[in-house]
Amino acid sequence: MSLKHDIGFTLNGVKKRVTVDVGMTALDMLRDVVGLTGTKYGCGEGECGACTIQVDGLSMNSCLMFAVDCDGRDLVTIEGLAADPRADALREAFVEHGAVQCGFCTPGMVVQAAHLLATHPDADAETIKRGIEGNLCRCTGYKKIVDAIESACCGGK
Amino acid sequence: MTPIEQYLAPATLDEAVGILQQGEVTILAGGTDLMPQSKAGRLAIKRTLMNIRRIPELKGIALDNDAIRIGALTTITEILNDPLVKEYLPVLADACDHFASDQIRNAGTLGGNIGNASPAGDTLVPLIVLDAEVELASKPNGSVTTRRLPLAEFFTGPGRTKRAANELLTAVRIPLPKAGHVARFFKFGTRPALDISAISIGIAGVIDNGVISNARVAFGAVAPTPIRAARTEEALEGRRLDEATIEAVASAARDEVNPIDDVRATAWYRKELIHNMTKRILDHVAQA
Ligand SMILES: Cc1cc2nc3c(=O)[nH]c(=O)nc-3n(C[C@H](O)[C@H](O)[C@H](O)COP(=O)(O)OP(=O)(O)OC[C@H]3O[C@@H](n4cnc5c(N)ncnc54)[C@H](O)[C@@H]3O)c2cc1C
Ligand code: FES
Ligand code: FES
């Protein structure tokens, strides 16, 4: 039997209480305990960014985070961004630029892009490329993703 | 692997060192090393898992007399954006800028990078050439005591340090650099982002009228721990940065390191990189 621990946190603006295994990742908690499957498991090692979420306003790999460390914190996942009007421009830009192919990287990419735009409102293409260094995409070749983020960034200039 | 029997998240330093005193504790900070290592079975979490993230005494960057004190829980992103670091320790900011990805920089801490004691840890080489010391706290007989150790002497092997089991790494102290102080960091990986260093180089010194004093040279990923390179420093100390000195220093560097072959690079390639990149760094400094 693995040790369990009760934690409470805010998830996409709503207070949650759950019981988790102490060795479990935040990603497994989101997908298997809470049941929000928008956040993806790619590598489980911090390399691909498919599991990116925001914790207290900062993007992190949920596969590297202990679920117990979510206690008392403010989590935003792709489901939260889907309901957030501030992310409208970003979502629309991804669609318009064809920045989505198979879509597996997309939730992590959009969460990371939202964090990037919040911290660098006037990001240029170079800043955007550096900002998504931790997000792999096997399909698009990144160009369309960078274009999409750039256009959302400057309010679709 | 023994299962975790206890999870604790102390709110004060006093409480945390008290827990360490009971023994069999694994310390958790950002988890970016601990989680993948424990999942892969490379590291067994001990009976008690202690999360130190809620201890305010371990956070923040501040001037402390003639030193800059960086709390162990300070994240790589916080170091990167800190005005004191930018002004006095740009070489550390530079190393943090080449560290993993935004997501990992937001979660990973300085204390975790030191505690993980990887020969390729990216903050270690710049901190060593800046003469950093680690601050360790413990509570052996009912009251908290601290000691300091030079970072250059802290590592004893991959994943191993001189930290005693009852000690918590609380901060790093870096003496304020003197006027004329110059420091450079170079990291080489096989791709630009998210790469573990194949080699890294830190060089620092005070330049006065073209002459170098207080020369410091350190290398990462060429030995079981990050190393300070005494013979390379000797080749630099008291010299002018002319062509002959630069070649002598670069050759001394190549001779002094004794790297291994692994997936990231062969030993031969690492030695050549150390020579060529040491030369390049010094050429740049000489031209500046
Ligand atoms: C994909 C990926 C890429 C990475 N890239 C880089 C890179 O480019 N450069 C680099 O240097 N590192 C890299 N890392 C390694 C890691 O992110 C860093 O070492 C990070 O600084 C660890 O900090 P943490 O807070 O997450 O540590 P944790 O995982 O929480 O802890 C690491 C170790 O230190 C111990 N520890 C933590 N805090 C303390 C303390 N205060 N006192 C005593 N012991 C303590 C823990 O017990 C554990 O053994 C990478 C990791 C991943 C997964
Ligand atoms: S699943 Fe977390 S980075 Fe790949
Ligand atoms: S769209 Fe397929 S991985 Fe990015």
Side-chain angles (χ1 to χ4, degrees):
Chain A
M1 269 298 289
S2 50
L3 180 68
K4 308 255 188 225
H5 191 76
D6 293 335
I7 56 171
F9 51 89
T10 307
L11 178 59
N12 300 326
V14 180
K15 292 236 179 298
K16 277 261 167 212
R17 290 211 66 86
V18 291
T19 303
V20 294
D21 286 352
V22 168
M24 170 183 260
T25 65
L27 175 61
D28 286 346
M29 173 189 80
L30 287 171
R31 294 182 57 88
D32 302 340
V33 180
V34 179
L36 286 186
T37 54
T39 308
K40 301 301 177 199
Y41 179 106
C43 64
E45 296 184 344
E47 297 276 352
C48 77
C51 66
T52 303
I53 62 171
Q54 286 179 13
V55 182
D56 295 336
L58 296 173
S59 60
M60 296 185 191
N61 303 108
S62 59
C63 73
L64 297 179
M65 192 179 173
F66 281 73
V68 284
D69 195 32
C70 295
D71 194 32
R73 302 176 84 175
D74 182 22
L75 273 54
V76 175
T77 66
I78 188 66
E79 289 88 350
L81 285 188
D84 184 346
R86 282 169 306 178
D88 281 352
L90 198 53
R91 281 197 318 274
E92 281 158 20
F94 265 65
V95 174
E96 255 165 49
H97 285 82
V100 180
Q101 287 186 32
C102 82
F104 199 81
C105 71
T106 310
M109 202 65 90
V110 171
V111 173
Q112 178 60 17
H115 173 250
L116 179 71
L117 296 191
T119 48
H120 299 83
D122 346 282
D124 57 12
E126 211 39 54
T127 310
I128 294 168
K129 280 184 199 164
R130 290 236 35 212
I132 59 167
E133 272 172 355
N135 295 76
L136 296 182
C137 173
R138 299 287 77 184
C139 306
T140 64
Y142 301 101
K143 170 93 173 78
K144 292 175 174 182
I145 292 175
V146 174
D147 289 348
I149 300 172
E150 200 177 7
S151 76
C153 163
C154 311
K157 57 169 179 222
Chain B
M1 202 173 113
T2 47
I4 307 169
E5 287 174 22
Q6 191 176 207
Y7 170 75
L8 298 169
T12 65
L13 176 62
D14 189 84
E15 235 184 292
V17 285
I19 294 164
L20 281 173
Q21 196 60 32
Q22 295 160 18
E24 286 297 299
V25 181
T26 295
I27 298 167
L28 166 66
T32 64
D33 279 314
L34 201 58
M35 178 57 90
Q37 289 175 10
S38 66
K39 277 207 305 189
R42 273 178 282 139
L43 180 145
I45 295 178
K46 303 211 176 81
R47 202 167 56 208
T48 301
L49 179 66
M50 177 171 78
N51 184 346
I52 58 171
R53 292 194 43 111
R54 281 149 188 81
I55 305 174
E57 292 105 307
L58 300 180
K59 291 180 189 161
I61 304 178
L63 266 176
D64 179 10
N65 294 318
D66 45 4
I68 291 178
R69 186 177 183 279
I70 307 182
L73 264 185
T74 309
T75 65
I76 305 302
T77 297
E78 285 163 349
I79 297 174
L80 188 54
N81 296 331
D82 186 78
L84 280 176
V85 172
K86 274 192 194 139
E87 182 172 353
Y88 294 106
L89 314 169
V91 69
L92 183 61
D94 189 34
C96 291
D97 194 32
H98 292 92
F99 195 110
S101 61
D102 187 41
Q103 288 95 322
I104 290 177
R105 291 191 292 268
N106 288 336
T109 65
L110 182 63
N113 201 228
I114 297 171
N116 190 50
S118 159
D122 279 329
T123 65
L124 312 180
V125 161
L127 286 173
I128 287 172
V129 298
L130 290 168
D131 289 335
E133 290 184 315
V134 292
E135 197 180 275
L136 300 159
S138 61
K139 200 179 177 184
N141 359 293
S143 58
V144 179
T145 58
T146 60
R147 63 167 180 147
R148 288 192 211 158
L149 273 180
L151 186 66
E153 295 161 24
F154 186 58
F155 303 104
T156 55
R160 291 204 315 273
T161 68
K162 289 189 181 158
R163 180 181 75 84
N166 69 342
E167 286 180 314
L168 183 68
L169 198 148
T170 48
V172 172
R173 291 174 57 94
I174 302 138
L176 276 182
K178 298 197 186 94
H181 186 267
V182 173
R184 294 283 187 277
F185 174 73
F186 174 83
K187 162 180 178 173
F188 184 86
T190 42
R191 50 188 176 141
L194 254 179
D195 212 356
I196 308 294
S197 299
I199 59 131
S200 63
I201 304 175
I203 301 182
V206 175
I207 305 185
D208 186 11
N209 274 322
V211 177
I212 303 228
S213 61
N214 293 302
R216 295 285 182 278
V217 180
F219 299 118
V222 294
T225 67
I227 55 163
R228 208 177 132 181
R231 273 171 286 150
T232 311
E233 288 179 0
E234 233 168 79
L236 191 56
E237 183 70 33
R239 304 285 157 80
R240 274 178 193 283
L241 273 185
D242 52 29
E243 222 174 290
T245 301
I246 292 176
E247 183 49 45
V249 174
S251 300
R254 175 168 49 200
D255 293 345
E256 191 161 16
V257 298
N258 191 13
I260 55 164
D261 294 325
D262 70 10
V263 290
R264 277 183 269 281
T266 63
W268 175 85
Y269 187 57
R270 285 194 158 99
K271 280 169 98 66
E272 289 307 301
L273 271 174
I274 291 282
H275 173 273
N276 295 347
M277 295 306 151
T278 299
K279 182 166 181 317
R280 185 186 289 180
I281 293 170
L282 293 175
D283 280 340
H284 281 173
V285 173
Q287 283 155 23

